[in-house]
Amino acid sequence: MSRPYIVAALGAFVLSGCGQDQPRDAAATDAAATPPPTTRFVEDLTPYESQPLPEGLVWVTNNDDPPFASPEAKRGGTFRTSMLSFPLTLRLVGPDSNGSFVSYLRTGQVDMTAIHPNTLKFIPLLATEWAFDPDGKTVYYRLDRNAHWSDGVPVTADDYVFTQEFYRSEFIVDPWYNNHYTNNIVDIRKHDDYTISVVGATPKAQEDLLHEYGFGPVPRHFHKLDARWVEDYDWRLAPVTGPYRISRIEKGQFVEFERVADWWGDKNRYLANRYNPDTVRVTVIRDTNVAWEYFLRGELDTFGLAQPNYWYEKAQGEPFDKGYIQKITYYTDRQQPSMGMWLNMDDPLLSDQNVRLGLAYSMNVDLMLKTVLRGDYERLKSAYDGYGVYSNPAITPRPFDLTKADEYFNAAGWMQRGPDGIRVKDGQRLAVTVSYATQDHTARLVVLREEARKAGVELNLQLLDASASFKQTLEKKHQIAWMAWGTNITPQLWEHYHSDNAHTTQNNNINNIDNPELDALITEYDRTTDTPTRVQAAHRIQQITYDLAGFIPMYKVPYTREGHWRWVKLPEHYGTRITEALFEPMGGDYLRSDGLLWIDEQAKQETLDAMASGRAFPPVTIFDETWRVR
């Protein structure tokens, strides 16, 4: 289970070789990014001690569900995409690691198991089989003996035992992992070179055991844990188990990945015919409008069109009319990112619950949805919308209500208004700063700002570079962060709401919520094996956080809507039930239903020739509602 990451604009970003894991072009790379000539930093490692397996284990697997990639997929070519800012580090953990680029890095970590993206049953990845102990806390795994790191070193049980040592280490400076691998995972045991068990703190349902304890390994031969680890490993390229490794970097400009030669995953039923481009190049383009121009020139292969102004206005004209660029809307059935306003309750102004409630009733979200977003997006109900029984059905978003806003602001002592209509109290204006990281969201926030003035609130809009915005948020220096968190199979609550993470930096409790009742409920939620009890705890947690009003939900996008040059191909069924983005070449989604696309070089040349001669193809716009939830 990976720590959730920020999805700054309701979209994720995306990693991964054989031979030495170092950039091909050292001249184009900052010296700090050039690793030593070998990735084997720790030599002559003593194997960990093996423990006997208990008798009577029943080993199970799932090789019966249908593959969901296309057997027609072609290997080769370069997929070109972009990111808004260069990553602050190439570490997966530690300070500044949990940004949008981490989703690229996580593609290098293949989990033990995954969820089949259509049947939602567990399927084998790095583990070939699994078994459960009667104690309800322990799951056993047999590792795929074909699996190896991208530098050629086999993946063994020793890597998994080291994984716990690594994540518990104070040297990685990451409280989330320290806590999870100490309090939730109490032991990782080696039974032979290719068999391990993971022991949790409390009994859980078997599905939860597989989800929470089916994580990928950490390469023991690569890491030297000491007080310099964070600094030393900022730009070192770790070997990976995934299909891609970083092969070339130009600091501030781009990161390039190459496919691992003879990748072990190609022999897996559910990984075959996926992750098809030979190269993936991620270029830094700090303005979405500039990225759009790159796309129209054919210098980027795909572009997200979820934003209405792109779909209705920009995605028009010759390249679309002549069929060079195709469009698709694909509905899905999945958990929704928590897009909205996250209020810092340690801020003196926002520490007042009445002020937070007044702000919630001052946001005219419906008008924003109707106007700027053309009615295409839907109002997000809560931070946990789309989680089935775990979503509290009693929670609905607070509407725009000037009477209610007035009531709460008056209760907080903000009864007077200045000559411009903004409330004042003791010489202070009722003004708050909303920090955000995507220029295209400015128009949405402008609607909210102008409507909020009717309630006597001044919203100051602060557009920051994506990395700077994320850093400010994790350091708890924001007033209101406009952002979304990525999703998991079930709500992840400890990192967002437990007091262990309040009033400290570099963690996900960006509300700074500190509530003893919540702490007790979160402990119950994490440790109970009874699903109804766990659901009840989740509902109560959501109710308390709703009452605290630290999060103002905005919208959800129940589909992916994208444009692509006609040489980028998809399977006949396009995607899966839980596809987050159709054109993710390498991965990044914890459910791992991505990597279905391929580059058709013949179609690319055909398209380029047609453009040169003015020849057209039939225009293509696809609308697929196979998985739509109504």
Side-chain angles (χ1 to χ4, degrees):
M1 179 180 64
S2 297
R3 179 174 60 175
Y5 56 92
I6 282 181
V7 184
L10 272 187
F13 296 85
V14 222
L15 173 218
S16 324
C18 143
Q20 304 303 330
D21 280 4
Q22 56 184 334
R24 287 198 303 262
D25 185 2
T29 306
D30 187 288
T34 305
T38 176
T39 61
R40 197 176 186 90
F41 297 113
V42 183
E43 300 287 349
D44 302 322
L45 295 169
T46 302
Y48 291 105
E49 183 179 352
S50 295
Q51 300 182 32
L53 273 172
E55 296 181 359
L57 291 176
V58 178
W59 292 93
V60 296
T61 190
N62 176 11
N63 289 309
D64 299 324
D65 280 358
F68 45 92
S70 173
E72 305 300 319
K74 298 178 181 180
R75 185 68 48 79
T78 297
F79 183 86
R80 300 158 303 166
T81 186
S82 66
M83 55 185 169
L84 290 172
S85 61
F86 197 80
L88 300 173
T89 180
L90 295 183
R91 286 181 282 97
L92 273 164
V93 300
D96 301 322
S97 64
N98 197 26
S100 58
F101 192 78
V102 77
S103 62
Y104 286 94
L105 298 178
R106 286 176 182 166
T107 66
Q109 291 186 311
V110 178
D111 293 339
M112 292 287 203
T113 60
I115 296 289
H116 189 285
N118 292 328
T119 69
L120 305 185
K121 298 177 182 177
F122 279 90
I123 56 177
L125 293 184
L126 203 147
T128 58
E129 297 176 288
W130 50 92
F132 301 99
D133 194 280
D135 66 5
K137 298 186 294 185
T138 306
V139 58
Y140 298 83
Y141 295 102
R142 285 178 175 159
L143 307 182
D144 189 331
R145 292 172 180 259
N146 294 314
H148 56 269
W149 297 99
S150 54
D151 57 5
V153 176
V155 177
T156 69
D158 284 343
D159 290 311
Y160 271 96
V161 178
F162 175 73
T163 296
Q164 184 173 39
E165 178 183 333
F166 176 84
Y167 285 131
R168 285 181 172 181
S169 172
E170 63 180 14
F171 298 130
I172 69 171
V173 193
D174 199 310
W176 190 94
Y177 284 104
N178 289 165
N179 174 80
H180 185 69
Y181 282 84
T182 300
N183 297 323
N184 296 339
I185 296 173
V186 299
D187 203 6
I188 300 177
R189 299 169 180 168
K190 171 184 175 181
H191 300 288
D192 61 42
D193 286 345
Y194 294 96
T195 307
I196 70 162
S197 59
V198 182
V199 184
T202 57
K204 295 179 181 290
Q206 291 183 353
E207 293 81 0
D208 287 339
L209 290 176
L210 289 177
H211 169 55
E212 296 191 29
Y213 303 159
F215 45 83
V218 174
R220 187 188 184 201
H221 64 282
F222 174 74
H223 292 281
K224 182 180 179 181
L225 288 170
D226 57 27
R228 290 184 53 84
W229 184 86
V230 168
E231 179 182 354
D232 288 348
Y233 284 78
D234 249 343
W235 300 105
R236 282 180 174 166
L237 306 180
V240 299
T241 56
Y244 292 92
R245 72 177 184 102
I246 292 177
S247 56
R248 189 179 174 200
I249 301 171
E250 184 167 342
K251 294 288 286 293
Q253 300 298 316
F254 65 82
V255 178
E256 195 168 276
F257 303 83
E258 68 179 10
R259 201 179 196 279
V260 174
D262 192 28
W263 182 49
W264 65 271
D266 290 329
K267 301 179 180 67
N268 180 290
R269 172 181 178 84
Y270 301 107
L271 296 174
N273 299 312
R274 294 168 66 185
Y275 313 114
N276 297 298
D278 284 339
T279 305
V280 176
R281 185 182 178 97
V282 189
T283 302
V284 176
I285 305 177
R286 300 181 187 278
D287 188 304
T288 307
N289 293 313
V290 175
W292 175 250
E293 296 302 321
Y294 274 65
F295 173 61
L296 291 181
R297 294 198 300 265
E299 296 176 34
L300 297 178
D301 292 302
T302 65
F303 198 94
L305 300 176
Q307 298 185 47
N309 62 317
Y310 279 91
W311 182 260
Y312 293 108
E313 298 166 8
K314 293 192 174 186
Q316 308 292 334
E318 182 174 302
F320 301 92
D321 295 341
K322 291 188 174 182
Y324 305 146
I325 301 177
Q326 303 176 352
K327 299 189 292 184
I328 181 170
T329 298
Y330 184 83
Y331 278 83
T332 58
D333 176 15
R334 59 178 293 123
Q335 300 89 342
Q336 293 296 322
S338 52
M339 180 66 215
M341 291 180 167
W342 293 82
L343 282 58
N344 184 352
M345 292 162 56
D346 275 357
D347 180 84
L349 178 61
L350 300 178
S351 64
D352 189 323
Q353 184 179 11
N354 284 317
V355 170
R356 298 194 300 270
L357 287 164
L359 286 172
Y361 284 110
S362 302
M363 298 298 116
N364 198 342
V365 180
D366 287 342
L367 182 64
M368 177 189 68
L369 294 176
K370 181 180 178 180
T371 56
V372 180
L373 297 175
R374 311 287 186 97
D376 288 355
Y377 294 10
E378 299 174 8
R379 182 75 194 265
L380 188 72
K381 296 178 182 177
S382 72
Y384 298 99
D385 196 341
Y387 284 80
V389 296
Y390 286 96
S391 296
N392 187 335
I395 293 178
T396 56
R398 295 178 174 93
F400 180 63
D401 187 327
L402 294 178
T403 301
K404 284 279 190 182
D406 191 60
E407 175 185 332
Y408 284 111
F409 286 138
N410 286 346
W414 294 89
M415 294 173 285
Q416 304 300 317
R417 296 202 185 207
D420 59 356
I422 301 301
R423 295 174 186 268
V424 293
K425 175 184 174 183
D426 300 329
Q428 179 185 359
R429 292 163 60 82
L430 184 55
V432 291
T433 298
V434 181
S435 304
Y436 66 111
T438 305
Q439 174 67 52
D440 288 324
H441 288 201
T442 300
R444 307 172 193 188
L445 284 161
V446 167
V447 171
L448 298 179
R449 181 186 66 189
E450 296 308 306
E451 290 294 294
R453 292 184 68 87
K454 298 176 181 178
V457 178
E458 182 175 72
L459 294 184
N460 297 314
L461 308 185
Q462 182 184 46
L463 175 61
L464 298 172
D465 169 270
S467 294
S469 178
F470 175 65
K471 186 178 180 68
Q472 174 182 271
T473 302
L474 283 195
E475 290 179 352
K476 316 287 181 76
K477 294 179 180 178
H478 64 291
Q479 277 192 298
I480 299 177
W482 171 273
M483 50 154 282
W485 289 104
T487 59
N488 274 279
I489 293 176
T490 56
Q492 303 300 298
L493 302 170
W494 178 86
E495 56 263 35
H496 292 293
Y497 307 121
H498 199 283
S499 61
D500 284 354
N501 299 317
H503 324 303
T504 61
T505 63
Q506 297 294 327
N507 60 63
N508 297 349
N509 186 353
I510 60 173
N511 288 137
N512 281 309
I513 289 177
D514 184 350
N515 184 295
E517 183 182 359
L518 270 179
D519 290 350
L521 284 165
I522 290 169
T523 298
E524 179 183 7
Y525 172 82
D526 286 340
R527 295 183 179 180
T528 185
T529 60
D530 178 64
T531 298
T533 301
R534 193 170 192 235
V535 167
Q536 185 178 24
H539 287 187
R540 180 59 185 151
I541 291 166
Q542 291 169 56
Q543 185 64 54
I544 292 173
T545 56
Y546 173 81
D547 293 341
L548 288 171
F551 173 66
I552 305 174
M554 289 290 144
Y555 49 75
K556 60 183 176 182
V557 186
Y559 53 78
T560 179
R561 194 162 65 184
E562 305 172 56
H564 63 102
W565 284 85
R566 65 183 297 274
W567 58 72
V568 185
K569 304 296 185 179
L570 290 171
E572 184 178 2
H573 51 274
Y574 308 120
T576 71
R577 177 178 182 174
I578 57 175
T579 289
E580 182 175 7
L582 291 166
F583 299 102
E584 289 284 3
M586 301 190 303
D589 189 305
Y590 69 95
L591 294 171
R592 308 195 74 83
S593 64
D594 37 44
L596 302 184
L597 69 84
W598 67 94
I599 305 295
D600 188 324
E601 294 288 0
Q602 181 178 344
K604 184 171 185 177
Q605 189 59 54
E606 181 185 46
T607 305
L608 296 175
D609 292 344
M611 292 170 65
S613 65
R615 182 166 59 91
F617 304 97
V620 176
T621 298
I622 297 166
F623 190 82
D624 190 292
E625 295 185 285
T626 302
W627 296 105
R628 186 169 190 175
V629 178
R630 297 185 182 276

